[in-house]
Amino acid sequence: MGPGRGRGIAVKAEAAGRRAGGGRTSWDPESGRAGRAGAADTRRNAVDAFRVNVIHARQQVRSPVTNIARTSFFHVKRSNIWLAAVTKQNVNAAMVFEFLYKMCDVMAAYFGKISEENIKNNFVLIYELLDEILDFGYPQNSETGALKTFITQQGIKSQHQTKEEQSQITSQVTGQIGWRREGIKYRRNELFLDVLESVNLLMSPQGQVLSAHVSGRVVMKSYLSGMPECKFGMNDKIVIEKQGKGTADETSKSGKQSIAIDDCTFHQCVRLSKFDSERSISFIPPDGEFELMRYRTTKDIILPFRVIPLVREVGRTKLEVKVVIKSNFKPSLLAQKIEVRIPTPLNTSGVQVICMKGKAKYKASENAIVWKIKRMAGMKESQISAEIELLPTNDKKKWARPPISMNFEVPFAPSGLKVRYLKVFEPKLNYSDHDVIKWVRYIGRSGIYETRC
């Protein structure tokens, strides 16, 4: 569906400083627009202005914030669906976008893919979701687990709730633990923790690291009974200058190399005060899968592979290319899904490839030689050689030599992050940390991993 028929969900986010309460929700089946109106500083025709100036604009709108007639439109797009928050006041832009992305997650959790058909089929459900999430322009509880206790999958509110159930809903909506309901029980208590990292690299032809960083996520799957308290510790080296913590002696006692985390963000369940004071992550986990934290590191990164390129021009009609890749991790570990992309000039007429391991193929449509290796152990090396025939050309500009890129997956964290401990406490249900089955997995993947040639 092209931009001429794009649909939109309009959410009016109003200014802070007004008294909370009230609001209205509306839906126009003909135009495909659902709206949740807060304070009356914007009019209904603001949605039409957004449709004309953004959705049906002749030129592509690149900025996520558009100002039309002193009205600000904060918008995100999912396939052909636009979600826009509208205000005339000076609001916190980060909060508005966080709300819009959270709204996308909530809708996806309720009816799957955000599409025009699903929006039409579930507009009653969207009514109720917006009514619960937004109150007079103020975002309220947007945790899917809490919302599903009183908004059912079909969007019908239960009319036969006991006093106990009603008190649980009230505590979840207004209390401190809105992301988890009480009374959860499992036959077997299990906790899965995945450390997922993406390593990014730009290296010179001589092997000098020009830029490198790791973006990481800690994802958990919690299948625990009751309201457990979890503690998660890692080998970070965050130094709090005022308190003078994180000394070298502490690192040597732990027996593991510490890593310096440049910045990190946490799920709302994490108690930030304990992280600042004890450098331990303490939290009551949501039920099921959730992202506990994100982080970024730039120092002492373990580069899983080194790419050594050699390109030699033989006259104006031939290139000789040799690429060696070396794995830089323990021999007992195996890297998987290895792919090396070697760019070729636009006037390439033919390529002859010889590789020691894996399979290599020249793809003319992509102007690249693609070399794939299923598995490769640590401290090994492999190479590929290619002769590239070139067509004569009148273009006097030299070939720019784009960088060689690489994709892979390794079973360790390139940042060096290690889980020091993962403890669970639940005194009410009388099960201890030893009764919980825990699984920890490390996965490192390539992000933009390039070597200039």
Side-chain angles (χ1 to χ4, degrees), residues 71-269:
T71 303
S72 298
F73 295 83
F74 303 80
H75 48 86
V76 298
K77 190 179 181 183
R78 288 291 179 270
S79 60
N80 66 324
I81 303 296
W82 295 76
L83 286 87
V86 189
T87 184
K88 287 188 175 181
Q89 306 296 326
N90 184 20
V91 299
N92 186 333
M95 180 204 69
V96 175
F97 283 113
E98 180 69 21
F99 167 76
L100 290 176
Y101 285 120
K102 193 66 180 178
M103 186 67 198
C104 291
D105 294 340
V106 170
M107 288 193 293
Y110 269 92
F111 50 80
K113 184 180 178 182
I114 300 175
S115 63
E116 182 179 355
E117 183 180 358
N118 282 345
I119 296 291
K120 285 181 176 179
N121 293 338
N122 294 279
F123 69 86
V124 174
L125 174 60
I126 295 173
Y127 278 170
E128 298 190 49
L129 290 172
L130 289 173
D131 194 51
E132 294 296 337
I133 294 174
L134 262 191
D135 194 2
F136 206 72
Y138 288 88
Q140 304 296 318
N141 192 349
S142 58
E143 278 296 320
T144 307
L147 290 170
K148 282 191 174 183
T149 59
F150 50 93
I151 298 181
T152 64
Q153 189 71 23
Q154 293 77 24
I156 302 172
K157 292 184 179 181
S158 175
Q159 301 296 326
H160 305 284
Q161 294 174 332
T162 64
K163 291 183 179 180
E164 184 180 352
E165 289 174 334
Q166 290 174 353
S167 65
Q168 287 180 0
I169 291 172
T170 304
S171 65
Q172 280 187 265
V173 174
T174 62
Q176 296 180 345
I177 310 175
W179 54 87
R180 185 182 181 92
R181 62 182 176 86
E182 293 185 1
I184 298 174
K185 290 185 179 180
Y186 289 100
R187 289 185 178 180
R188 186 169 66 171
N189 293 297
E190 289 184 296
L191 199 58
F192 298 83
L193 189 145
D194 288 344
V195 178
L196 309 175
E197 292 192 346
S198 173
V199 56
N200 301 272
L201 170 72
L202 179 60
M203 183 177 283
S204 71
Q206 294 76 30
Q208 181 183 0
V209 177
L210 303 177
S211 68
H213 73 272
V214 170
S215 299
R217 300 188 303 140
V218 176
V219 178
M220 295 189 73
K221 284 185 181 179
S222 165
Y223 303 108
L224 302 173
S225 303
M227 298 290 281
E229 176 83 20
C230 297
K231 282 190 175 183
F232 165 66
M234 54 188 177
N235 59 330
D236 67 299
K237 190 170 59 178
I238 296 178
V239 179
I240 303 174
E241 294 182 359
K242 291 183 180 179
Q243 300 178 0
K245 293 186 178 181
T247 61
D249 294 337
E250 189 176 310
T251 304
S252 61
K253 287 179 183 178
S254 65
K256 294 182 180 179
Q257 184 180 0
S258 297
I259 66 165
I261 295 179
D262 293 339
D263 55 70
C264 56
T265 57
F266 296 101
H267 188 275
Q268 63 173 327
C269 65

Side-chain angles (χ1 to χ4, degrees), residues 13 23 52 57 109 119 135 139 155 199 209 234 286 292 294 373 410 419 441:
V52 172
I119 296 291
D135 194 2
V199 56
V209 177
M234 54 188 177
L292 180 65
R294 285 175 180 254
I373 302 174
V410 291
V419 178
R441 179 174 61 170

Side-chain angles (χ1 to χ4, degrees), residues 264-391:
C264 56
T265 57
F266 296 101
H267 188 275
Q268 63 173 327
C269 65
V270 175
R271 295 186 176 93
L272 296 179
S273 58
K274 285 198 173 183
F275 179 74
D276 290 336
S277 60
E278 303 174 10
R279 288 187 297 151
S280 67
I281 301 170
S282 178
F283 58 98
I284 296 176
D287 188 42
E289 184 174 351
F290 68 101
E291 185 180 278
L292 180 65
M293 67 176 288
R294 285 175 180 254
Y295 59 92
R296 184 174 179 272
T297 65
T298 56
K299 296 179 181 179
D300 301 323
I301 295 172
I302 303 169
L303 300 175
F305 285 94
R306 165 87 188 278
V307 178
I308 305 172
L310 179 62
V311 180
R312 191 168 72 92
E313 296 182 11
V314 183
R316 299 190 63 182
T317 59
K318 190 175 180 181
L319 279 178
E320 291 181 353
V321 177
K322 180 181 177 182
V323 176
V324 179
I325 60 171
K326 294 183 178 182
S327 54
N328 183 31
F329 47 89
K330 293 179 181 179
S332 58
L333 301 177
L334 283 175
Q336 297 182 354
K337 303 176 184 177
I338 302 164
E339 180 181 291
V340 181
R341 301 181 72 86
I342 305 167
T344 59
L346 296 176
N347 60 327
T348 299
S349 61
V351 177
Q352 292 182 346
V353 181
I354 301 173
C355 59
M356 295 173 55
K357 190 176 182 180
K359 294 181 179 180
K361 185 178 181 181
Y362 168 62
K363 293 188 177 181
S365 60
E366 301 176 19
N367 291 310
I369 300 169
V370 180
W371 179 24
K372 294 184 178 181
I373 302 174
K374 288 185 179 180
R375 297 178 187 86
M376 187 172 180
M379 308 308 292
K380 298 286 184 180
E381 70 174 60
S382 188
Q383 72 176 39
I384 181 173
S385 300
E387 287 189 0
I388 302 172
E389 300 291 337
L390 304 177
L391 294 172

Side-chain angles (χ1 to χ4, degrees), residues 429-453:
L429 295 184
N430 198 26
Y431 73 85
S432 64
D433 181 59
H434 301 288
D435 301 321
V436 179
I437 301 172
K438 304 167 194 170
W439 307 85
V440 178
R441 179 174 61 170
Y442 300 92
I443 299 177
R445 295 188 177 98
S446 56
I448 301 174
Y449 203 90
E450 295 179 338
T451 302
R452 290 178 178 172
C453 59

